[in-house]
Amino acid sequence: QVQLVESGGGLVQAGGSLRLSCVASGSILSSFAMGWYRQAPGAQRELVAGISRGRITKYPDSVNGRFTISRDNAKNTLYLQMNSLKPEDTAVYYCAAFQSWIVGGTPRFWGQGTQVTVSS
């Protein structure tokens, strides 16, 4: 059974930084593309960072240059480094595993989420 467990969320002031971690069970981290999504209250869940099996990354304009996704296959851990945080980054952040080697489509597996709150 695949498990994705996030950690690292919390409360931070605008302009600050946080690093989220996602520990994955089994070999899923090294086998498939992975991503970080977020969902703010009343909003749709959106992809904020993706990394392919070949470590090609993608970001939406809203976080490009501020967020960095990375993976450590030896530790079965996915990371999201978030810098220059803004109040609009406040959301529940989810780790996700795709069903392919590239980022795209609907992820197959999800973590339980971790809250990130950015105060102004």
Side-chain angles (χ1 to χ4, degrees), residues 20-73:
L20 306 183
S21 300
C22 171
V23 178
S25 62
S27 62
I28 192 168
L29 195 76
S30 59
S31 299
F32 298 105
M34 302 290 295
W36 286 97
Y37 284 74
R38 69 184 179 189
Q39 187 168 22
Q44 288 189 332
R45 193 171 295 189
E46 62 173 345
L47 177 71
V48 295
I51 185 167
S52 71
R53 186 183 180 189
R55 299 180 187 273
I56 296 172
T57 58
K58 65 183 295 185
Y59 307 92
D61 290 343
S62 58
V63 307
N64 197 25
R66 300 189 298 121
F67 289 12
T68 303
I69 188 171
S70 61
R71 64 200 300 167
D72 185 334
N73 290 346

Side-chain angles (χ1 to χ4, degrees), residues 1 4 12-13 18 21 23 26 35 47 50 58 60 65 74-75 78-79 85 88-89 96 105 113 115-116 118:
Q1 184 176 356
L4 302 173
V12 64
Q13 287 189 331
L18 281 175
S21 300
V23 178
L47 177 71
K58 65 183 295 185
K75 295 182 178 180
L78 182 74
Y79 301 101
L85 283 162
E88 52 262 44
D89 294 319
Q115 177 70 46
V116 171
V118 184

